[in-house]
Amino acid sequence: MGDHLPAALLEACVVVGASSEKLRELYQSCQQSPVSNWAPVTLEPDVLLVLAPPFVSRLPTDPELVRSHGRRRRSFIRKKREHLPSAAAAAAAAAAQGRTVAEQRGSEDVSVPKDIDLVALPQLCFPGGLHVTREARDEQFHFLVFTDVFGNKTFSVVMQCFKAFSNDMSEFPNSNGADCPKMFSAFGFCVISKYPFFTALKDSLSCFLPQLRSCRVSDLEDRVKELAAKLSLVPAPPPGHLHLMFSLRPLMITLPSGEDRDSPTVDLQLHLPLLCFTPQKLLQVLSCLLQEQRVVLFSSDWARLTLVAECLLLFLLPLSWQHPYVPVLARSMLDFLMAPTAFLMGCHISHFEEVASETEDLVLINLDNGSVSTSCSETVDLPDIPVSAAECFTQRCQSLQTQFDLSLCHSASSTNINEHRAQRRAWQHNLNYDIQRITLELNVNIFRDVCSHLNYEHRVFNSKGFLKTREPHEQLFYTKVLETHIFHSFLKDRLNKKMDSFARMELSTRSETQKLKAKVEVPRRPTMQEIQARRKTSVTDALQLKRQGMSSGDLLQRSSLPCKIIPDLALKTPPKPAKIFKLPDFPASLSFHSVQSYYMDLIQQLNKAIFSVQHENSALLARFYYLRGFINTLCSRRLEALSDFQSLCKTDTAIFPTQLVTWLVDSLHRDERQQADRRPELKRLILKVKTENEKTLVPGNDHVKKFELPRNPLSLEEFVRCVQECGIVKDVATIQRLFEALTDDQSKQVDPDLFRDFYTFWKETEAEAQDVNLPSYVIDQLDHSECVYKLSSCVKTSHGVGKIAMTQKRLFLLPEGRANFLDITKFRDIQEVKVSSAPFLLLRIPSLRIKCSSRPEMFEANLKTETELWNLIVKEMWTGRKMADHHKDPQYINQALTNVLLMDAVVGSLQTHKSISAASKLAYFDRQEIPMMVPKVTSETLKHKINPSQDLSEPQTVHVLLYTPGQLTCGDSDTEMNPKLWVALSGGRVVVFDATCWSILQDCFMVGESQLNCMLGLVQEQVWIGSKDSVIYIIDSHSLSCNKQLTEHRHEVTGLAVDTRETRSQVVYSCSCDGSILLWDSLSLKVKRQFYLNCSRLCSIQIHDGSLWCCCEDSIVKLKKSGIQQRRIVLPDDVRSSSFSCFILMSEQGQLWTGCADSGDLFVFSINSRRSLKRITLPGSSGVTCMIPVKNKIWVGCRANSDGGHSDGQGRSQVLVLDSETQAVDKELQAHTDSTQTLCSAEDRYVLSGSARGDGKIAIWKVE
């Protein structure tokens, strides 16, 4: 269990000092020399004492727990005056006997905690040497960090203090204590922990000082053991906003927790680097770390080295340092600085000149005077962090209040030390939070655009494409950073779609332009707004280049909009308040029974805490369950521990200790297993653990690829992968048409040289578009969101000579030699496009003629050899625009844009007479099968269409839609949340849209791996999702994370309903296909009642007037809340073979409307009687999939009805709107090209319909 049990506060306690033999020799030599000639002596330190938990012997009735928990942490206590030999001596003795140090220690029943190196520890405890003096010196602290080969860290706080030992020399032979001079030897007390509790451990050692000062050297062991035993009883707090506090007189000591599982614990002063450096110098230091330089910190204070180094690494998050990290180097370890790899190390300022002169290519950082230099120069010649991000960071730092005393000017003086410490701790917590937000903002501003150049499916990062979007003066910085290990690790997290603090801030601070780009997939081109924003920088660069005598062609520099600076409001959100839980006082004695009594007192306190928050705060409740399960495990109360972890699984799966629970299940005795089988909740947990363990472990995909051009001919499958990897297009159908365009009739493979030409042309065209630097008078005529996608050569037109430019909305002319702008036409205004010829001397030159409704005359351009291509391009854009307008679907114009760019690249790469014929295969919309014109009623009712599968290679079925209104606000914050649209796609995927602008708020994330059947929004900021895998997943609607699971159902969860009449707490009903119905308390997440309905398949449930209505395949059943059946409604005899698919209740009319999956009829029943009132035949419907009431209308979603008139055989589906009073069809809406799967209402203003994968889109309909 030692490998699975979370570590307590104390991992080990080590005492380091001079051995008794060395002190005796020194004492005797001192007696033989005059006192006046005696000077301080430096001795080699040794490990004197190693203490590791457990410190109490277990009862013999549970030997298994003793063996498992203590197998690597046995207590190492020597008899008085019998000390551990130095590590070097131990190694030598072991070598002499042909054994390892570990074998030698094992034979002596001596064991030390894993990952602790006793060889280096003495030197690190005394990095400046162990001194013996004639006068006592003040105690000093410093901090250590140990890192193993796997990157796991162990943290230590070392206290050096001087103890007089001359009075103890009487115990040595041949010494005369009465006439001896008093001598003081340094001792190091090293407390080691798995957690970075620097302040807490320093406070603990400070509380130990009074005892240490008053005891004799010979009594140190007992005093240290007492301290270590107490600290070993303190559990580490789980991630979340729960801090633990314990009393170690005279101080109350607090253990802070990390914000979440991926966030580090912060127990130090993050403003220390801001006291050492100016913001500009601090940015220089961070730049060196991001570029993975060999960095050495220097200070005259050993403690400052580790604390500042830890702060710097926290500032880099979520980027994680991947190289050697030794914040404190002893004198004998300076040769570590000769390592050829990148590193971060620290040493004393006295070694500065020596290190600078003997090593090369080091970045030397002086913490005492805030200077940054190199071993070769007083300046650092490295690229700086991008200017816009750096300036924002500097401004933020200057606004910080880093002086605690200034915040107390208005307050009364504290007369209680713990009260004063609490004030300081609260101030430091808020300051640390502000600093973390500022440094996170810096990293978001630096790396925000990285995600735009990732291909998630093939795990490819297009580094060249990313670099081309950077400012010229930033490219060297990014070139260096992109090659580092630290950035590579960051890329892995982005490709894994890790929802960490970086992702949350990047998501919440997107600009309107970025939200627009996330709304639909568009090729990367600078918008007019971006061109205007970079104008100042571009003009400055141009003037500078002119002064350097460069040509006008070199003045166009590739650049992008500077880093998006996050608004102040995003950083002013206060930190969430933390709950402090005080542990019981430590027992007076450390016997087994006293410790067990201490644990039982702690369990009692946790019981009270759980009772007090179970209906108020599920996050705190989860932390208390975690702690109680941990303590019950220590007390060998396995069933109670499993019960706590089962409750934890319901409230927060993010902190569920899977390995510990697995160990607990495997270690159950036979009688315990029998008891667990009699408790349903434990039986379910054990089954879940066993099932998970039996699954084949699939290694995670952790690689990152850079795109490389192919070297061999490409088949269709290889071509699809290659095109997706290079980021040209994702859609498989489009790539298949591109494959046909690039292959001839004989060969069904794409030549690698042809692909290289195509890729090169595509990228060059993309780069040229980035170079477009339109005059201001042109930009003023265009919309901010417009981008220039194609620019012709200089041609003669009916309006003069100039270049024709194409955006996603229009064609316009840039006349040659004069500052003018001619709007040729908008694509929606085009009436005719044709190829003609214009006379020129004795020749006729091909030309393109465009007729539009906005001007009487026809526009003609002598495009010569470009005419056929422009003809294809304009027709495709014209058709795409008309379809986008008619279908209210912007994806059509974006698909047309993609087709146009592919045509251009195909023609440019083939360079043959067949190139136009090949490009025409990509003219999809010009020969599309979808009806161009949409019926008038459909067009008037349809507001918009959105595509939830735009980040996927193929459309996915929209299984469920849920709209949550904006008043679902964050309960512990003043920040208002926008309304959201939750979309459940195939395979457990969930996409979240911002319902104010219909842009994607959260890219696809996984909720299990099975189909999702139902969703329900609750006021406690929760969304419940029922899955085919029998689990109910609970999503936090604020953080958009799934951290709770309800596993009581045994079969597919098919329905969820909430009883809104309950005022105190919302009661939720859930059902599964086997007929099981569970009644949940939504606050405690406990099952209040369970009953079973005998039916063929239970599909859904609804609450109406205190009764539960159930939709089964063979009937509609009305139940009392107790589960007693009141009535059952079945279909008429002539359609008895059909099955119910959905139903709605109309209380005012007293009617029950039902639909069947394979019948085009609706059946209306009376709520109060069994008779069928009416049978409504739906026009053009082969089956009903879903229904919802909106105001006085009934909206009905239908199955796709195959239309023989379409060659593709694809079905068409309708959404029908019926009047609930007349029961007549008011509207027939042509909704999707596949079955309508689900409907939902957005506050009765809009109705949203989702379709099957043949269409895969969501239509947004206006409600009258």
Side-chain angles (χ1 to χ4, degrees):
M1 186 177 70
D3 293 332
H4 307 312
L5 193 67
L9 172 61
L10 180 79
E11 180 78 2
C13 183
V14 180
V15 180
V16 178
S19 64
S20 58
E21 293 81 3
K22 294 178 182 177
L23 291 178
R24 182 187 296 110
E25 293 174 2
L26 177 63
Y27 181 77
Q28 291 175 348
S29 64
C30 180
Q31 283 183 310
Q32 300 172 3
S33 61
V35 174
S36 58
N37 296 338
W38 199 86
V41 178
T42 300
L43 298 178
E44 187 72 21
D46 293 319
V47 174
L48 304 180
L49 189 64
V50 180
L51 300 172
F55 294 97
V56 295
S57 58
R58 303 278 180 170
L59 292 178
T61 56
D62 197 3
E64 184 181 351
L65 189 59
V66 179
R67 191 167 55 252
S68 60
H69 182 44
R71 60 188 167 89
R72 72 175 182 87
R73 296 190 182 182
R74 285 172 290 166
S75 177
F76 173 69
I77 307 293
R78 294 279 186 154
K79 300 294 183 180
K80 291 184 180 181
R81 297 185 303 276
E82 185 178 344
H83 302 282
L84 177 72
S86 69
Q97 300 175 26
R99 295 181 295 170
T100 65
V101 176
E103 291 170 337
Q104 167 119 349
R105 288 175 180 156
S107 66
E108 298 174 358
D109 196 28
V110 175
S111 179
V112 296
K114 189 171 62 175
D115 305 329
I116 297 178
D117 182 9
L118 291 183
V119 176
L121 186 62
Q123 299 177 22
L124 294 174
C125 288
F126 292 97
L130 188 155
H131 302 292
V132 178
T133 65
R134 292 291 305 274
E135 296 179 353
R137 296 181 181 178
D138 293 337
E139 295 81 8
Q140 290 187 346
F141 290 83
H142 68 275
F143 309 90
L144 303 175
V145 180
F146 310 101
T147 309
D148 65 16
V149 293
F150 301 107
N152 302 311
K153 291 182 179 180
T154 304
F155 306 89
S156 173
V157 178
V158 180
M159 178 179 68
Q160 294 182 13
C161 64
F162 283 78
K163 290 289 296 179
F165 65 89
S166 57
N167 291 336
D168 294 331
M169 289 298 106
S170 58
E171 301 176 10
F172 297 144
N174 303 322
S175 64
N176 183 2
D179 301 326
C180 295
K182 200 167 190 179
M183 301 173 66
F184 296 87
S185 177
F187 288 85
F189 298 87
C190 178
V191 179
I192 301 172
S193 176
K194 285 292 183 184
Y195 306 96
F197 292 124
F198 295 113
T199 302
L201 293 176
K202 179 181 177 181
D203 290 345
S204 300
L205 286 173
S206 300
C207 294
F208 175 59
L209 265 177
Q211 300 180 51
L212 185 63
R213 289 167 178 162
S214 60
C215 75
R216 294 158 54 96
V217 173
S218 55
D219 296 328
L220 278 179
E221 182 181 304
D222 293 335
R223 299 289 182 269
V224 175
K225 180 181 178 182
E226 180 182 354
L227 172 67
K230 289 179 178 179
L231 296 182
S232 69
L233 298 179
V234 179
H241 298 278
L242 176 65
H243 300 177
L244 300 185
M245 176 183 287
F246 62 94
S247 175
L248 200 61
R249 290 182 177 83
L251 300 181
M252 300 297 296
I253 301 174
T254 301
L255 298 181
S257 60
E259 185 175 347
D260 53 50
R261 195 164 192 170
D262 295 320
S263 300
T265 299
V266 179
D267 188 29
L268 73 169
Q269 296 77 34
L270 287 183
H271 66 287
L272 290 179
L274 296 173
L275 301 179
C276 296
F277 306 105
T278 63
Q280 294 78 9
K281 285 294 183 183
L282 180 56
L283 284 168
Q284 198 173 22
V285 174
L286 294 177
S287 177
C288 294
L289 294 175
L290 288 173
Q291 296 174 63
E292 292 189 346
Q293 298 299 303
R294 302 161 69 214
V295 179
V296 187
L297 306 179
F298 293 90
S299 178
S300 58
D301 185 352
W302 294 104
R304 194 177 302 168
L305 292 170
T306 301
L307 295 179
V308 172
E310 283 290 301
C311 290
L312 294 176
L313 295 188
L314 289 173
F315 292 172
L316 295 179
L317 294 177
L319 289 87
S320 178
W321 185 253
Q322 304 288 312
H323 292 280
Y325 171 54
V326 187
V328 172
L329 285 176
R331 166 72 190 184
S332 58
M333 300 177 177
L334 291 182
D335 56 344
F336 286 12
L337 300 177
M338 304 298 291
T341 183
F343 55 72
L344 175 59
M345 300 187 187
C347 56
H348 198 269
I349 191 66
S350 60
H351 306 309
F352 187 93
E353 297 298 333
E354 178 185 357
V355 171
S357 61
E358 295 187 6
T359 53
E360 298 179 355
D361 299 327
L362 295 183
V363 177
L364 311 177
I365 301 175
N366 190 333
L367 304 183
D368 295 344
N369 62 16
S371 66
V372 181
S373 60
T374 66
S375 51
C376 304
S377 171
E378 294 185 359
T379 60
V380 178
D381 186 19
L382 287 172
D384 293 328
I385 285 175
V387 176
S388 54
E391 288 179 351
C392 177
F393 177 79
T394 301
Q395 294 172 8
R396 303 287 194 210
C397 290
Q398 290 171 348
S399 66
L400 288 173
Q401 178 54 264
T402 58
Q403 298 298 330
F404 174 61
D405 291 340
L406 289 177
S407 65
L408 296 181
C409 292
H410 64 283
S411 303
S413 299
S414 178
T415 58
N416 183 288
I417 184 173
N418 285 312
E419 178 184 332
H420 179 76
R421 282 165 51 84
Q423 290 179 346
R424 170 72 191 222
R425 185 170 58 249
W427 173 85
Q428 188 67 60
H429 176 71
N430 292 331
L431 179 60
N432 284 353
Y433 176 81
D434 291 341
I435 294 174
Q436 285 179 290
R437 297 286 289 178
I438 290 172
T439 55
L440 178 61
E441 178 198 31
L442 173 67
N443 293 322
V444 169
N445 285 334
I446 294 173
F447 299 109
R448 178 191 291 278
D449 293 335
V450 165
C451 296
S452 301
H453 298 265
L454 294 176
N455 181 286
Y456 295 95
E457 183 178 1
H458 299 288
R459 301 186 65 83
V460 175
F461 173 58
N462 190 342
S463 57
K464 293 182 180 178
F466 173 76
L467 286 173
K468 287 180 180 179
T469 64
R470 302 299 92 191
E471 294 285 349
H473 56 272
E474 298 173 352
Q475 291 194 4
L476 183 57
F477 169 81
Y478 283 107
T479 300
K480 288 181 174 292
V481 172
L482 264 54
E483 297 299 324
T484 61
H485 291 82
I486 190 174
F487 180 76
H488 188 78
S489 176
F490 171 77
L491 274 185
K492 289 180 181 178
D493 290 337
R494 297 317 106 199
L495 286 169
N496 293 332
K497 296 187 177 181
K498 185 177 183 179
M499 185 49 63
D500 54 11
S501 56
F502 179 95
R504 288 192 291 270
M505 178 175 282
E506 191 278 329
L507 193 64
S508 63
T509 57
R510 285 179 178 174
S511 65
E512 291 303 319
T513 302
Q514 291 166 331
K515 289 180 181 179
L516 183 64
K517 287 184 177 180
K519 191 173 180 179
V520 288
E521 184 183 357
V522 294
R524 298 187 190 96
R525 298 293 188 271
T527 64
M528 296 302 108
Q529 184 181 20
E530 291 173 334
I531 292 175
Q532 207 164 24
R534 76 187 185 195
R535 176 75 66 192
K536 183 177 179 180
T537 304
S538 298
V539 170
T540 303
D541 290 344
L543 292 175
Q544 184 177 2
L545 290 171
K546 273 188 176 182
R547 286 193 294 268
Q548 295 172 356
M550 298 182 71
S551 64
S552 59
D554 296 323
L555 299 181
L556 297 175
Q557 298 294 322
R558 293 201 242 328
S559 61
S560 64
L561 190 67
C563 294
K564 315 299 186 296
I565 303 305
I566 295 170
D568 292 341
L569 183 62
L571 296 180
K572 288 184 178 179
T573 306
K576 293 182 179 179
K579 169 76 173 179
I580 295 181
F581 178 77
K582 186 181 180 303
L583 303 177
D585 291 337
F586 293 118
S589 68
L590 294 174
S591 65
F592 176 80
H593 293 290
S594 297
V595 171
Q596 291 297 305
S597 177
Y598 169 82
Y599 285 145
M600 295 310 297
D601 291 343
L602 178 52
I603 290 174
Q604 291 299 320
Q605 287 187 212
L606 289 170
N607 292 341
K608 295 177 181 178
I610 289 172
F611 180 79
S612 66
V613 302
Q614 61 181 344
H615 297 299
E616 300 175 2
N617 192 324
S618 63
L620 271 181
L621 182 64
R623 273 72 197 164
F624 289 136
Y625 279 137
Y626 178 98
L627 286 173
R628 194 172 69 178
F630 173 75
I631 301 303
N632 276 323
T633 303
L634 291 178
C635 295
S636 301
R637 295 156 52 99
R638 297 181 183 84
L639 294 182
E640 288 79 0
L642 286 175
S643 180
D644 287 329
F645 293 131
Q646 167 66 12
S647 300
L648 171 63
C649 188
K650 292 181 182 178
T651 50
D652 195 344
T653 56
I655 60 173
F656 185 76
T658 303
Q659 289 185 323
L660 175 57
V661 173
T662 301
W663 177 87
L664 283 170
V665 170
D666 293 340
S667 65
L668 289 176
H669 298 159
R670 180 177 298 179
D671 58 333
E672 292 174 328
R673 185 59 183 266
Q674 292 173 351
Q675 295 178 48
D677 290 339
R678 291 193 292 269
R679 297 168 62 175
E681 73 281 359
L682 293 188
K683 189 175 181 180
R684 282 191 294 271
L685 178 63
I686 293 173
L687 178 62
K688 177 183 176 182
V689 170
K690 294 292 185 184
T691 303
E692 291 295 325
N693 290 339
E694 291 172 359
K695 288 183 179 179
T696 303
L697 184 60
V698 179
N701 194 350
D702 206 28
H703 71 281
V704 179
K705 293 194 297 184
K706 288 186 179 180
F707 174 70
E708 294 182 357
L709 290 169
R711 299 179 180 178
N712 300 312
L714 298 170
S715 63
L716 175 59
E717 182 180 354
E718 295 168 334
F719 182 79
V720 170
R721 175 187 56 77
C722 202
V723 172
Q724 289 177 338
E725 282 187 5
C726 65
I728 292 177
V729 65
K730 296 178 183 176
D731 182 62
V732 174
T734 303
I735 300 174
Q736 289 173 346
R737 292 196 298 273
L738 177 61
F739 181 79
E740 293 177 5
L742 292 177
T743 54
D744 52 33
D745 296 334
Q746 291 81 19
S747 172
K748 287 302 178 182
Q749 289 184 323
V750 175
D751 185 79
D753 293 333
L754 176 58
F755 185 88
R756 183 178 295 105
D757 294 340
F758 170 81
Y759 176 79
T760 303
F761 189 92
W762 176 275
K763 289 301 178 182
E764 287 177 350
T765 305
E766 193 175 69
E768 290 171 3
Q770 297 290 335
D771 286 344
V772 170
N773 201 352
L774 298 175
S776 297
Y777 60 84
V778 175
I779 293 177
D780 293 339
Q781 301 292 326
L782 302 176
D783 296 341
H784 285 323
S785 60
E786 282 190 82
C787 310
V788 174
Y789 285 90
K790 184 164 178 60
L791 195 65
S792 75
S793 57
C794 193
V795 297
K796 180 182 177 182
T797 73
S798 55
H799 291 272
V801 177
K803 294 183 178 181
I804 299 175
M806 185 195 80
T807 73
Q808 69 266 45
K809 294 183 179 181
R810 75 185 84 208
L811 297 171
F812 64 90
L813 181 66
L814 294 173
E816 186 75 9
R818 52 196 172 99
N820 197 3
F821 168 87
L822 175 65
D823 193 349
I824 299 173
T825 182
K826 292 184 172 63
F827 289 116
R828 60 167 53 96
D829 296 334
I830 294 178
Q831 294 177 328
E832 183 183 1
V833 179
K834 64 179 182 178
V835 176
S836 182
S837 61
F840 179 74
L841 298 178
L842 299 177
L843 304 175
R844 297 194 67 84
I845 301 174
S847 65
L848 183 69
R849 291 188 176 188
I850 302 174
K851 183 179 180 181
C852 61
S853 60
S854 59
R855 61 177 69 244
E857 72 277 8
M858 182 173 284
F859 176 83
E860 184 173 4
N862 299 342
L863 288 161
K864 303 176 185 176
T865 58
E866 296 181 70
T867 302
E868 292 290 344
L869 175 60
W870 274 92
N871 178 52
L872 287 175
I873 287 174
V874 174
K875 283 184 176 180
E876 184 74 3
M877 293 298 296
W878 172 30
T879 312
R881 171 51 65 188
K882 289 174 68 175
M883 292 186 65
D885 290 345
H886 291 154
H887 291 268
K888 309 291 179 66
D889 188 351
Q891 188 180 12
Y892 285 117
I893 190 62
N894 288 283
Q895 180 64 56
L897 273 172
T898 301
N899 294 341
V900 162
L901 295 175
L902 291 174
M903 288 182 208
D904 191 28
V906 167
V907 172
S909 57
L910 289 177
Q911 295 289 339
T912 66
H913 65 283
K914 294 183 178 180
S915 59
I916 296 298
S917 174
S920 65
K921 297 179 182 179
L922 290 159
Y924 174 67
F925 290 112
D926 195 29
R927 54 177 185 170
Q928 50 76 40
E929 306 285 349
I930 303 173
M932 176 69 72
M933 297 301 296
V934 176
K936 182 179 179 181
V937 175
T938 301
S939 179
E940 291 175 347
T941 309
L942 182 62
K943 174 180 173 58
H944 195 58
K945 278 191 176 182
I946 53 179
N947 180 16
S949 305
Q950 67 183 43
D951 287 331
L952 303 173
S953 58
E954 294 180 328
Q956 302 291 313
T957 298
V958 179
H959 289 284
V960 194
L961 293 172
L962 173 68
Y963 174 89
T964 54
Q967 55 260 35
L968 282 178
T969 57
C970 181
D972 51 5
S973 171
D974 296 332
T975 304
E976 293 187 1
M977 295 169 60
N978 289 336
K980 297 182 178 69
L981 175 65
W982 303 73
V983 184
L985 302 177
S986 303
R989 299 180 181 91
V990 174
V991 177
V992 184
F993 285 83
D994 184 338
T996 58
C997 58
W998 305 115
S999 63
I1000 289 184
L1001 186 64
Q1002 170 61 57
D1003 293 333
C1004 177
F1005 64 94
M1006 301 302 297
V1007 179
E1009 298 177 353
S1010 303
Q1011 177 181 313
L1012 305 177
N1013 295 326
C1014 49
M1015 292 196 286
L1016 179 68
L1018 299 183
V1019 296
Q1020 293 98 345
E1021 304 169 24
Q1022 295 178 351
V1023 171
W1024 290 34
I1025 303 179
S1027 174
K1028 197 171 183 178
D1029 62 8
S1030 79
V1031 177
I1032 298 175
Y1033 298 92
I1034 300 180
I1035 311 294
D1036 185 295
S1037 59
H1038 178 61
S1039 64
L1040 303 181
S1041 60
C1042 177
N1043 56 2
K1044 300 179 178 67
Q1045 296 180 12
L1046 307 178
T1047 58
E1048 275 70 6
H1049 281 288
R1050 302 267 58 82
H1051 295 83
E1052 175 183 354
V1053 179
T1054 55
L1056 293 165
V1058 60
D1059 191 348
T1060 56
R1061 302 198 308 174
E1062 294 286 343
T1063 56
R1064 291 188 58 190
S1065 64
Q1066 287 189 306
V1067 175
V1068 178
Y1069 289 83
S1070 65
C1071 68
S1072 53
C1073 61
D1074 65 331
S1076 297
I1077 300 175
L1078 304 183
L1079 172 61
W1080 299 88
D1081 184 328
S1082 64
L1083 293 176
S1084 65
L1085 302 180
K1086 292 183 178 179
V1087 177
K1088 300 175 65 176
R1089 191 180 305 125
Q1090 180 176 1
F1091 45 90
Y1092 178 78
L1093 175 63
N1094 187 14
C1095 62
S1096 59
R1097 175 183 171 87
L1098 182 54
C1099 302
S1100 63
I1101 52 175
Q1102 293 183 29
I1103 305 292
H1104 178 69
D1105 287 342
S1107 297
L1108 187 64
W1109 291 78
C1110 307
C1111 178
C1112 309
E1113 284 188 344
D1114 56 353
S1115 59
I1116 304 292
V1117 181
K1118 179 182 179 182
L1119 302 175
K1120 292 183 177 180
K1121 287 188 176 181
S1122 60
I1124 299 175
Q1125 180 175 320
Q1126 291 183 298
R1127 59 180 297 201
R1128 182 183 290 265
I1129 299 172
V1130 297
L1131 287 168
D1133 294 339
D1134 60 328
V1135 289
R1136 190 66 60 86
S1137 59
S1138 300
S1139 57
F1140 288 110
S1141 60
C1142 55
F1143 74 100
I1144 57 172
L1145 293 153
M1146 304 296 293
S1147 56
E1148 293 183 0
Q1149 291 84 359
Q1151 296 174 350
L1152 169 68
W1153 292 52
T1154 65
C1156 299
D1158 51 0
S1159 171
D1161 296 331
L1162 295 181
F1163 300 89
V1164 183
F1165 298 88
S1166 171
I1167 291 180
N1168 300 316
S1169 67
R1170 297 177 182 271
R1171 66 187 181 90
S1172 173
L1173 296 179
K1174 190 172 182 180
R1175 179 171 179 170
I1176 305 171
T1177 300
L1178 302 177
S1181 172
S1182 61
V1184 177
T1185 56
C1186 49
M1187 286 193 296
I1188 59 169
V1190 182
K1191 294 183 177 179
N1192 62 337
K1193 306 291 183 182
I1194 308 295
W1195 290 64
V1196 181
C1198 302
R1199 286 178 55 191
N1201 191 10
S1202 181
D1203 187 350
H1206 295 281
S1207 60
D1208 61 357
Q1210 194 174 23
R1212 315 294 179 194
S1213 72
Q1214 297 185 109
V1215 171
L1216 304 177
V1217 184
L1218 287 79
D1219 188 286
S1220 61
E1221 295 181 357
T1222 65
Q1223 300 179 355
V1225 177
D1226 281 354
K1227 294 181 180 180
E1228 297 181 33
L1229 306 176
Q1230 302 299 318
H1232 303 282
T1233 57
D1234 204 342
S1235 296
T1236 302
Q1237 293 290 108
T1238 178
L1239 294 168
C1240 83
S1241 171
E1243 300 177 346
D1244 285 351
R1245 294 188 297 118
Y1246 301 106
V1247 168
L1248 299 99
S1249 61
S1251 63
R1253 64 177 301 170
D1255 181 272
K1257 295 178 182 177
I1258 299 170
I1260 305 168
W1261 308 93
K1262 293 178 285 189
V1263 175
E1264 295 178 355

